[in-house]
Amino acid sequence: MSANNLRWLAKFHLLILDEVDSTNEEAKRIVASDNSPNYLVVCAKKQIAGKGRNGRVWESQEGNLFVSVIVPKTASLEEMSQLSFVSSLALYYSISSIFQNYSEQSSITLKWPNDVLVNDKKVAGILLETAGANSEYVVVGVGVNVKKCPMIQGKNITSLFDEGLHFLDSSEVLNRFMTYFYKYYQLWIADQFIEIREKWLKRSKGLGQIITVDSGFERVSGKFLDIDFSGRLRIQVASGQIFHLNTGEVFFND
Ligand code: BTN
């Protein structure tokens, strides 16, 4: 890793723990106990109670990356949710650059709202949470399957190891992720979600195609138009009506 790639350490502080329940939970505890936890990156070698989106468990096998970044809440919660797109874009660039470095072929895509797919299988996920008595902070939790791939029935999951990156370790993924997160976070702070949104859409899977979204309450099928500035998915159903979806699981009709 060149010094260039360690530039993010000028802004962020890094805390590496041997074992933790969840790096997001640890980040929230740090916020509750400290006066200035801004820009702290909490990373753990082992996570024993990893959390996924929608109350799910994040299977956290050793050798994978578990990291939570604490940033100040500088905008409305709606706008702060844009950070999940900042993060998935950063994951896209970091994982792409690793494949390039190791001269391995891969197809990397982004699946709404914030999954990263390698060869159409999920390799990373993001969980955003607020922290602090008055939600003064946002914790951006990122999990990447680096060495091990959890077996979850009915889910198409992989690890970077299984996709050919046999000599990669989680510290390299962390460095690269933070390098790009730093870059796109700065862009976002400069009020440029418009650029991040465009880059994210270019790399998203299923754009312009017919997809099905399961919100947990109902299933909606239609054309994936784009995302709005709150990160909601815009889908046009057969009647022509356009829905803005906040949350849900996307299924591709291919
Ligand atoms: C998802 O469901 O796709 C989101 C998964 C987020 C997992 C990461 S691992 C680091 C951080 N700590 C947690 O407990 N969860 C996030």
Side-chain angles (χ1 to χ4, degrees):
M1 221 4 55
S2 77
N4 233 4
N5 290 336
L6 296 172
R7 215 180 281 158
W8 61 273
L9 281 169
K11 185 171 181 93
F12 294 91
H13 303 279
L14 177 61
L15 174 66
I16 301 180
L17 302 165
D18 281 333
E19 183 178 318
V20 78
D21 49 354
S22 144
T23 55
N24 269 29
E25 288 304 314
E26 182 64 18
K28 289 195 276 180
R29 283 191 292 268
I30 291 172
V31 168
S33 65
D34 191 343
N35 290 327
S36 55
N38 260 349
Y39 305 115
L40 182 67
V41 178
V42 182
C43 187
K45 290 181 189 154
K46 194 171 173 187
Q47 182 171 253
I48 55 175
K51 303 188 310 173
R53 287 196 310 119
N54 302 327
R56 285 193 288 255
V57 168
W58 181 256
E59 295 289 343
S60 305
Q61 285 166 292
E62 260 186 276
N64 291 345
L65 178 67
F66 318 111
V67 63
S68 299
V69 185
I70 302 172
V71 298
K73 179 177 168 290
T74 47
S76 67
L77 275 184
E78 212 175 18
E79 282 173 279
M80 291 307 288
S81 69
Q82 296 171 350
L83 282 181
S84 76
F85 297 91
V86 172
S87 312
S88 53
L89 196 60
L91 279 171
Y92 172 90
Y93 283 112
S94 43
I95 293 172
S96 301
S97 72
I98 294 170
F99 273 101
Q100 258 169 32
N101 247 39
Y102 283 78
S103 303
E104 287 285 341
Q105 292 295 317
S106 67
S107 145
I108 304 169
T109 47
L110 300 174
K111 180 182 170 192
W112 183 87
N114 46 31
D115 290 350
V116 181
L117 311 181
V118 174
N119 300 329
D120 284 338
K121 290 160 275 180
K122 177 165 173 170
V123 82
I126 297 160
L127 175 66
L128 246 60
E129 293 187 275
T130 55
N134 301 308
S135 302
E136 317 90 298
Y137 296 94
V138 168
V139 174
V140 180
V142 172
V144 183
N145 298 335
V146 180
K147 290 276 189 204
K148 308 260 174 61
C149 170
M151 287 297 161
I152 302 175
Q153 232 188 353
K155 298 271 177 193
N156 214 1
I157 306 175
T158 193
S159 70
L160 295 175
F161 182 94
D162 288 324
E163 298 305 317
L165 302 177
H166 294 165
F167 301 105
L168 179 69
D169 67 28
S170 60
S171 62
E172 183 172 349
V173 183
L174 171 69
N175 261 326
R176 286 188 192 253
F177 167 68
M178 284 308 300
T179 300
Y180 286 105
F181 182 81
Y182 177 50
K183 176 174 175 180
Y184 289 105
Y185 179 75
Q186 309 271 75
L187 191 68
W188 178 77
I189 285 284
D191 222 8
Q192 290 305 314
F193 181 63
I194 192 163
E195 205 177 315
I196 288 159
R197 175 180 172 273
E198 215 168 274
K199 287 183 189 301
W200 188 93
L201 283 170
K202 254 193 206 159
R203 289 150 183 97
S204 66
K205 184 169 159 70
L207 186 71
Q209 294 170 13
I210 302 297
I211 60 167
T212 300
V213 186
D214 187 344
S215 72
F217 299 105
E218 56 174 350
R219 278 180 160 242
V220 183
S221 288
K223 188 175 173 185
F224 174 14
L225 295 178
D226 57 14
I227 55 168
D228 67 16
F229 282 82
S230 305
R232 293 177 303 180
L233 183 140
R234 291 201 326 130
I235 190 168
Q236 184 169 38
V237 298
S239 67
Q241 206 182 347
I242 296 172
F243 291 96
H244 293 234
L245 304 179
N246 263 323
T247 179
E249 174 94 26
V250 171
F251 297 91
F252 302 104
N253 302 357
D254 56 18

